[in-house]
Amino acid sequence: QFKISYDRPYTSIDSKSDVPVIAMMIDNSRSMDMAPEEAPDDDVGYRMDKLKTVFHDFILGLPSNSLMSLMTFTGQGMEPSYIDSKQILTDNKAAVLRALSECQGYSGTPINDALTVAINNLKSVSSSKRVLIFFTDAALDWESKESEALRIRYEELLKELKKENIRVLFAGLGGADYV
């Protein structure tokens, strides 16, 4: 006769992985993919192509043990927000690059909605090295009649990023109107 017992190992504190997790949230608004002649004074010039070039090099340069996800956002005003997870969490750079190649401009720029989704996705990942790269060509519209509510929600989201210890890089590409 044998008596076998197993005590499951555990830690008293929640230990997180140190694998880098990079979530990329990319603006898929119409202005990201406009021809230069559509807005000659605004330096539009196919921003999406410029973005793809920058992100291509960035993705290839990430450490091989990094996990990545790629999401896009569009829609605003009369249209509902559309947040698309182009590529869920993976270490496969080719899959993320393929998802990046499919990006194209559609509609508006729902920044708060996109930021909410990105935060919620990263909160579910148990890593001490969570990073959000948020790329857009527009700023929040503080001058509209909804601006106060938008601003308050945006500030709440920034506080949540800090509370969750998610590092964030807000990056943009714009012309003279976005100074």
Side-chain angles (χ1 to χ4, degrees):
Q1 269 187 335
F2 293 95
K3 182 178 180 180
I4 299 173
S5 66
Y6 174 74
D7 291 326
R8 184 180 182 119
Y10 70 95
T11 61
S12 59
I13 58 171
D14 182 23
S15 60
K16 294 185 176 187
S17 165
D18 62 352
V19 172
V21 177
I22 299 98
M24 294 165 270
M25 180 63 83
I26 296 176
D27 180 350
N28 253 12
S29 64
R30 183 176 176 276
S31 61
M32 287 293 291
D33 213 16
M34 289 171 58
E37 56 272 8
E38 289 185 54
D41 297 332
D42 195 26
D43 186 30
V44 175
Y46 299 112
R47 293 176 182 160
M48 190 62 71
D49 290 341
K50 295 172 186 175
L51 172 139
K52 287 177 183 180
T53 299
V54 169
F55 271 83
H56 176 271
D57 295 344
F58 172 75
I59 291 165
L60 289 178
L62 289 172
S64 60
N65 69 331
S66 298
L67 294 175
M68 305 157 283
S69 69
L70 184 96
M71 298 168 282
T72 62
F73 64 97
T74 190
Q76 186 170 306
M78 299 301 288
E79 300 178 29
S81 297
Y82 182 68
I83 316 298
D84 186 14
S85 290
K86 295 275 188 192
Q87 178 58 55
I88 59 172
L89 209 53
T90 183
D91 64 351
N92 185 335
K93 291 180 181 183
V96 176
L97 290 171
R98 183 177 57 248
L100 178 65
S101 73
E102 297 169 358
C103 291
Q104 58 184 354
Y106 291 108
S107 184
T109 313
I111 291 175
N112 281 351
D113 293 344
L115 195 51
T116 300
V117 170
I119 291 169
N120 287 337
N121 283 350
L122 279 170
K123 279 174 37 175
S124 67
V125 178
S126 183
S127 174
S128 62
K129 295 182 179 179
R130 298 174 297 176
V131 177
L132 169 61
I133 299 174
F134 194 96
F135 194 94
T136 184
D137 70 342
L140 286 171
D141 181 7
W142 299 134
E143 297 177 15
S144 71
K145 61 184 176 185
E146 300 91 17
S147 66
E148 185 64 15
L150 286 173
R151 184 188 60 74
I152 290 169
R153 177 65 183 139
Y154 180 71
E155 289 175 2
E156 290 170 353
L157 292 168
L158 294 179
K159 288 176 187 174
E160 189 170 357
L161 282 165
K162 184 176 181 176
K163 179 182 139 223
E164 292 294 330
N165 199 27
I166 297 172
R167 296 177 187 121
V168 63
L169 170 64
F170 288 100
L173 181 63
D177 290 343
Y178 298 100
V179 177

